[in-house]
Amino acid sequence: MRRDQAEDECAAPRHDGRRGFLKCAAGIAGVAAAGIGGPAAAAADRPVGGLRDGGLLPDKVPFHGDHQAGIVTPQQLFAGFVGFDVLAQDRDGLISLFQRLTRRSRVLAAGVKPQDEQVASEEPTPDSLSITLGVGASLFDDRFGLSGHKPRHLKAMPAFPDDRLEPARCHGDLSLQVCAQHPDAVVHVLRDLARETEGLLRPRWRADAFLNPSRPSGSPRTFVGFKDGIVNPDTGSAREMDRLLWVTPPCGEPDWALGGSYQVLRLIRFQIEKWDKVPLARQEKIFGRRKASGAPLDGTRESDVPRYREDPHGSKIPLNSHIRLANPRTEKTENSRFLRRSYNYDAGYDSKGQMDLGLVFCGYQQDPERQFATVQRRLRHEPLSEFITPIGGGYFFILPGVRDADDWFGSRLLQKT
């Protein structure tokens, strides 16, 4: 399939339906028909404020800053991802939408509970809440006068060779990521924002997700049993973040986009029944890691660096293993690395009685073509692709941070254009 055909196949719908947001409440308060997953208790035994990715989660994640929270924030236990279509009729309506989202997000991030969750007899629980807002390529059409101000690399996510994308689970004018230490906190926030933005947004797809325990330690595991997110850029290095994550002046992006980042979301279903029949030794060769420890096949600990130069023919770590294709660890491929912040999903059983389990892949980067798409091309037809199927998601641009109490999401885009 040609790339332009793939983009057309999953193109966003026309914006001629102006139904109210709450008429689609099933897409927010519950699992949407085109959505994935529901809160799971699997991660509930992780302590609030526990160590994740080398950082201690505060009870309240700061809302203001040069960059939005929820990107380099240590990963919370639960997340909700929603793709929206904007129903605002004009530019003033879009400004009102962004200002309403900012106002409520600021209040909620400060620890004020949503109206439906307020119970006077109970002490509020710390949720380490973060709310992260992105924009899709479809927002930059003629509706709001933004067509000449789109970020350089923002486009509809193409279908890659191993994808089976479902249009109802792709793209959107906006991307909303809500992360917290409790699953109900995610739902309460989505309900709150639905009330605040009534008539201005329509949910397109939704995915509820969570982290599995690491068992016994180290990185968390996915439902194929292997540890995930072992290797990531150093979020504590400003130099590395400016090279791989944040939009900076040398990137040649519009001025309003400085401080933002590109988000790639991928809804990936596992063919779990098929995978469970694969012998352990073959599973480990497919990944290039030990299932129990997470160590590369030439190492003993998950933190060990694979020694590819000492294994040029792939006798220890196969040349077509997932970790070797995804990150060959060469000088040439260094700039294709990006920050992973993925979660698991469990959507029960499908109509054929098969378990609907998978991964909400979430990646942040400076340029999705240089980074995510380049890695994806290296992974084309990898052995793992026989057992996983990308079915949805999208490319989004995460807006720069809300700088202070007078600022709001997208202010630099909508005030200067």
Side-chain angles (χ1 to χ4, degrees), residues 302-377:
E302 71 172 76
S303 59
D304 288 345
V305 177
R307 298 184 295 274
Y308 295 144
R309 291 185 179 180
E310 299 174 18
D311 184 26
H313 303 295
S315 59
K316 293 183 178 180
I317 301 178
L319 299 178
N320 63 353
S321 65
H322 182 75
I323 66 168
R324 194 158 188 166
L325 292 173
N327 184 8
R329 296 177 180 271
T330 67
E331 184 177 350
K332 184 178 179 180
T333 62
E334 172 66 17
N335 277 340
S336 63
R337 296 170 60 223
F338 55 88
L339 179 67
R340 291 188 56 176
R341 205 176 190 276
S342 301
Y343 286 85
N344 306 292
Y345 81 79
D346 172 9
Y349 293 91
D350 65 15
S351 60
K352 297 179 181 179
Q354 295 181 322
M355 298 189 76
D356 189 352
L357 301 173
L359 188 74
V360 182
F361 172 94
C362 179
Y364 289 102
Q365 59 234 274
Q366 194 177 75
D367 176 353
E369 180 61 30
R370 185 189 91 212
Q371 295 167 275
F372 171 78
T374 296
V375 172
Q376 198 65 22
R377 285 190 287 269

Side-chain angles (χ1 to χ4, degrees), residues 370-411:
R370 185 189 91 212
Q371 295 167 275
F372 171 78
T374 296
V375 172
Q376 198 65 22
R377 285 190 287 269
R378 290 201 296 264
L379 293 171
R380 181 176 183 266
H381 302 328
E382 63 165 326
L384 183 61
S385 66
E386 183 181 347
F387 306 97
I388 65 174
T389 305
I391 57 176
Y395 285 0
F396 299 93
F397 185 80
I398 300 301
L399 298 167
V402 177
R403 293 164 291 188
D404 52 42
D406 296 322
D407 196 13
W408 43 277
F409 287 132
S411 62

Side-chain angles (χ1 to χ4, degrees), residues 64-291:
H64 296 132
D66 292 335
H67 315 292
Q68 286 194 58
I71 302 176
V72 297
T73 303
Q75 204 166 354
Q76 299 97 322
L77 299 183
F78 295 91
F81 300 88
V82 188
F84 290 102
D85 292 329
V86 172
L87 301 181
Q89 298 285 341
D90 52 29
R91 189 188 190 87
D92 288 341
L94 183 63
I95 290 174
S96 176
L97 168 62
F98 280 9
Q99 290 178 338
R100 291 186 192 189
L101 285 171
T102 306
R103 182 166 58 248
R104 287 308 298 167
S105 296
R106 180 185 286 119
V107 169
L108 296 171
V112 176
K113 295 300 177 184
Q115 178 182 335
D116 57 86
E117 193 186 4
Q118 291 176 357
V119 180
S121 61
E122 295 183 2
E123 289 292 325
T125 56
D127 289 315
S128 302
L129 176 69
S130 64
I131 301 171
T132 312
L133 184 68
V135 294
S138 55
L139 189 72
F140 293 85
D141 55 19
D142 295 331
R143 288 172 293 162
F144 311 114
L146 301 178
S147 58
H149 304 279
K150 186 169 66 174
R152 287 182 60 196
H153 307 291
L154 186 60
K155 62 181 182 180
M157 182 180 71
F160 293 91
D162 298 313
D163 293 358
R164 298 292 181 272
L165 299 180
E166 301 174 13
R169 291 175 171 174
C170 292
H171 315 310
D173 291 333
L174 298 183
S175 157
L176 185 68
Q177 171 190 289
V178 179
C179 298
Q181 287 293 81
H182 302 91
D184 62 313
V186 174
V187 177
H188 285 305
V189 168
L190 292 177
R191 289 170 65 183
D192 189 290
L193 295 180
R195 290 190 296 271
E196 186 67 20
T197 60
E198 181 177 359
L200 296 174
L201 282 178
R202 176 176 58 211
R204 182 173 173 82
W205 57 267
R206 173 179 167 187
D208 291 316
F210 53 92
L211 290 180
N212 287 334
S214 57
R215 293 196 177 101
S217 62
S219 301
R221 297 181 185 273
T222 69
F223 282 119
V224 294
F226 283 79
K227 294 187 176 186
D228 183 57
I230 293 174
V231 179
N232 252 332
D234 180 6
T235 58
S237 167
R239 182 177 180 180
E240 188 146 316
M241 292 297 93
D242 284 346
R243 182 172 62 86
L244 298 174
L245 184 64
W246 306 123
V247 166
T248 60
C251 296
E253 296 279 6
D255 289 344
W256 70 263
L258 297 179
S261 183
Y262 286 89
Q263 178 194 55
V264 174
L265 293 176
R266 302 270 284 173
L267 312 182
I268 303 174
R269 181 173 178 177
F270 298 158
Q271 277 71 60
I272 207 70
E273 290 85 359
K274 186 177 181 181
W275 174 256
D276 287 344
K277 297 176 183 178
V278 178
L280 174 61
R282 187 187 171 205
Q283 288 186 358
E284 292 184 333
K285 286 183 179 297
I286 287 173
F287 270 95
R289 290 188 180 276
R290 300 293 180 196
K291 196 169 189 178

